[in-house]
Amino acid sequence: MYKENVYKILLNEKIAKDVYKMILEGDTQYITAPGQFVNIKLEGKFLRRPISVCDCDDNTITIIYKVVGEGTDQMAKMTAGESLDILTGLGNGYDISKSEKPMLIGGGVGVPPMYMLAKKLIEDGQKVTVILGFNTKDEIFYEDEFKALGADVIVATADGSYGVKGFVTDAFIEDYDYFYTCGPLPMFKAVYDKTTTSGQFSFEERMGCGFGACMGCSCKTKYGSKRICKDGPVLVKEEIIW
């Protein structure tokens, strides 16, 4: 179930190169699983902007976004006290019942949904390892926040300016029984090829409506066509077609 509502901006701050953290106050009851997303209406823009939920509590939602175009640049200029029209409770989210020693893999702006996921898995008593991938040191965010949850954290940078030099796959651990991931498609293919267990991928796709009506984000899977916004964004490894 999804819900459209108006949310008040409590905080909108830069936390890394071109990356911003926004905390919104409003109804959070329709966010029921880590990996779900919100769809944000921006003045003057025809399509809403889908952004993963980083965290939420009884009355606030935290999102983290990167400025990559006009829409996110418009968001970055907003200040506390302003309001946004948002659809919440979108997407299926991650199923956290599949593991005991999961490996979480986030690349760039695929990192934020890993935070709420790690929190839920740790609350469930699971031993969590988080691998965060960035291009360079000045893009890194939320390393300390993941550590504060109690997760083992490994950071990889493509240029070697911090942590493991290389990609997330260069930082893989051996002792895991399941994986969860979010990030760009080239990273997904590398993760798919290197992982030895089942796992869940959270895909990004351009969306028209965000709740399954327009069919604009449909993709083919081994089990037929699925809508990333409604049947996803989380797909299991075994159903993905490359």
Side-chain angles (χ1 to χ4, degrees):
M1 183 176 185
Y2 67 91
K3 177 69 174 177
E4 181 178 3
N5 216 330
V6 175
Y7 292 76
K8 179 182 177 181
I9 299 173
L10 300 181
L11 175 75
N12 191 29
E13 65 176 5
K14 188 174 184 179
I15 59 172
K17 182 183 178 183
D18 299 326
V19 177
Y20 289 77
K21 173 181 179 178
M22 181 182 286
I23 299 177
L24 299 148
E25 182 181 49
D27 188 358
T28 65
Q29 66 177 306
Y30 298 99
I31 300 172
T32 58
Q36 289 184 299
F37 65 96
V38 298
N39 223 5
I40 302 174
K41 184 176 182 180
L42 296 172
E43 186 176 352
K45 306 300 180 189
F46 179 68
L47 294 179
R48 292 175 180 262
R49 266 51 181 183
I51 306 287
S52 296
V53 174
C54 175
D55 196 15
C56 75
D57 57 28
D58 290 342
N59 57 12
T60 66
I61 300 171
T62 299
I63 59 172
I64 293 176
Y65 61 95
K66 185 173 184 177
V67 176
V68 294
E70 291 182 5
T72 44
D73 182 63
Q74 188 172 324
M75 287 174 61
K77 292 181 171 67
M78 300 188 78
T79 58
E82 294 186 64
S83 296
L84 281 171
D85 180 325
I86 298 177
L87 289 172
T88 69
L90 301 176
N92 57 354
Y94 291 105
D95 180 351
I96 68 169
S97 69
K98 302 296 185 180
S99 60
E100 292 182 0
K101 297 181 293 184
M103 177 170 63
L104 279 55
I105 310 147
V109 288
V111 166
M114 296 291 103
Y115 180 79
M116 185 173 172
L117 175 61
K119 179 191 285 189
K120 297 294 185 183
L121 290 166
I122 290 169
E123 288 175 354
D124 194 46
Q126 301 188 35
K127 186 181 186 306
V128 174
T129 299
V130 181
I131 300 173
L132 309 176
F134 303 94
N135 290 316
T136 186
K137 183 178 180 179
D138 60 1
E139 296 179 0
I140 296 171
F141 61 90
Y142 259 53
E143 178 186 7
D144 291 338
E145 284 82 353
F146 279 103
K147 289 179 177 177
L149 291 177
D152 293 331
V153 181
I154 304 169
V155 178
T157 52
D159 67 356
S161 55
Y162 187 90
V164 176
K165 182 177 181 179
F167 303 111
V168 290
T169 46
D170 296 307
F172 270 21
I173 61 171
E174 294 184 2
D175 187 20
Y176 69 97
D177 62 1
Y178 199 79
F179 70 89
Y180 302 87
T181 186
C182 185
L185 281 177
M187 186 194 92
F188 274 2
K189 184 61 168 64
V191 168
Y192 182 96
D193 289 341
K194 188 165 182 177
T195 47
T196 57
T197 70
S198 182
Q200 297 173 33
F201 295 73
S202 180
F203 282 82
E204 294 181 357
E205 188 60 73
R206 293 192 67 84
M207 299 175 186
C209 67
F211 49 86
C214 73
M215 309 300 288
C217 61
S218 294
C219 70
K220 291 182 179 180
T221 76
K222 292 179 182 177
Y223 309 127
S225 294
K226 290 194 173 184
R227 299 158 294 178
I228 291 298
C229 72
K230 179 73 172 179
D231 307 309
V234 178
L235 303 178
V236 296
K237 182 179 182 179
E238 291 75 16
E239 66 182 313
I240 297 170
I241 299 174
W242 294 108

